[in-house]
Amino acid sequence: MNLFINAVSEKWYLALFDKNRNIIASIDLDIKWNESSQFITTLDTFLHEHNTQYSQIQNIVCVNGPGSFTGVRTIVLVVNSLGFLHDISLTHMSYFDLFNNFPVIKSSSRRDSFFLQSAGEKIKIIQNSDLEQLFMQQDIKEIYWESNFSFENITIIENIDYSDIIQKLEFQKHKKIEALYIKKPNIS
């Protein structure tokens, strides 16, 4: 059995899938800003409801960022601990790897967002107030993004096809994964 964890998107996603990459069970969750207090309990409940124990999991695939500093740190810590305690291989991917096309935006805060124009480029931090101007300057007509924002003449595509991702992913067999941070935390 394999476990997929995306805890950096607006809607979290957990899935169990078999060696043939068939999704056995999945759930969308809304836990944002409560990662440290709810994640492990939610994961335990999900596994229990589907008669799965940690010892049955061979691989964990984890979206390791970017996202909130506390949220990403919490998820990576839990995944690394599970991998160590139960000898589970770990695979990581970024939020940007969830989309097949570009450009992709990931909300960072109320003030700014992460922006990736195309594969292989460096992720940029863009002020939310500057997004519409950026879209116009670069003649962007559609963007991949989970967002509450709306822009005139811009199509926002929110669909993440987890089934396709799971079919195409390559297990990395890491013993430890690192959190993907793009900017330093806002700690005062």
Side-chain angles (χ1 to χ4, degrees):
M1 192 64 61
N2 303 288
L3 176 63
F4 188 100
I5 301 171
N6 175 7
V8 301
S9 288
E10 292 296 315
K11 287 282 187 190
W12 285 23
Y13 180 80
L14 298 175
L16 287 169
F17 62 100
D18 65 18
K19 65 181 179 181
N20 297 319
R21 312 285 177 115
N22 297 313
I23 296 174
I24 306 301
S26 66
I27 186 171
D28 290 307
L29 303 163
D30 191 5
I31 306 179
K32 194 164 183 124
W33 311 119
N34 294 304
E35 295 92 344
S36 60
S37 64
Q38 294 183 14
F39 178 67
I40 195 69
T41 304
T42 303
L43 180 58
D44 284 343
T45 301
F46 174 73
L47 294 176
H48 180 74
E49 287 173 353
H50 299 288
N51 301 313
T52 304
Q53 301 200 8
Y54 290 108
S55 60
Q56 295 173 284
I57 298 173
Q58 297 168 330
N59 299 285
I60 298 176
V61 179
C62 178
V63 179
N64 66 329
S68 79
F69 180 78
T70 302
V72 170
R73 183 179 59 195
T74 300
I75 300 316
V76 168
L77 174 67
V78 168
V79 167
N80 283 335
S81 297
L82 292 172
F84 177 76
L85 290 170
H86 301 283
D87 195 29
I88 300 171
S89 292
L90 307 176
T91 298
H92 65 86
M93 60 178 22
S94 83
Y95 172 84
F96 299 99
D97 296 328
L98 298 173
F99 296 91
N100 290 324
N101 295 301
F102 293 90
V104 177
I105 289 186
K106 166 78 172 89
S107 295
S108 168
S109 68
R110 290 181 183 96
R111 295 181 309 275
D112 56 36
S113 294
F114 302 118
F115 176 72
L116 186 61
Q117 177 92 26
S118 60
E121 287 191 5
K122 184 177 179 184
I123 298 168
K124 299 174 186 163
I125 300 171
I126 306 291
Q127 297 296 311
N128 289 336
S129 58
D130 296 336
L131 286 173
E132 194 159 18
Q133 181 180 4
L134 172 78
F135 298 156
M136 287 185 351
Q137 287 174 343
Q138 298 195 11
D139 196 31
I140 295 172
K141 300 291 185 207
E142 65 180 27
I143 189 100
Y144 293 82
W145 190 11
E146 302 171 291
S147 173
N148 302 354
F149 286 91
S150 63
F151 299 98
E152 193 172 314
N153 302 320
I154 303 292
T155 302
I156 297 176
I157 302 167
E158 300 181 67
N159 184 34
I160 298 174
D161 185 351
Y162 289 104
S163 180
D164 185 56
I165 293 165
I166 288 169
Q167 287 297 317
K168 293 178 180 176
L169 75 85
E170 293 182 29
F171 293 119
Q172 298 164 351
K173 301 188 188 259
H174 293 296
K175 292 296 177 188
K176 178 182 177 187
I177 61 172
E178 300 292 329
L180 174 60
Y181 300 122
I182 305 300
K183 64 181 187 176
K184 293 180 181 177
N186 269 339
I187 299 174
S188 311

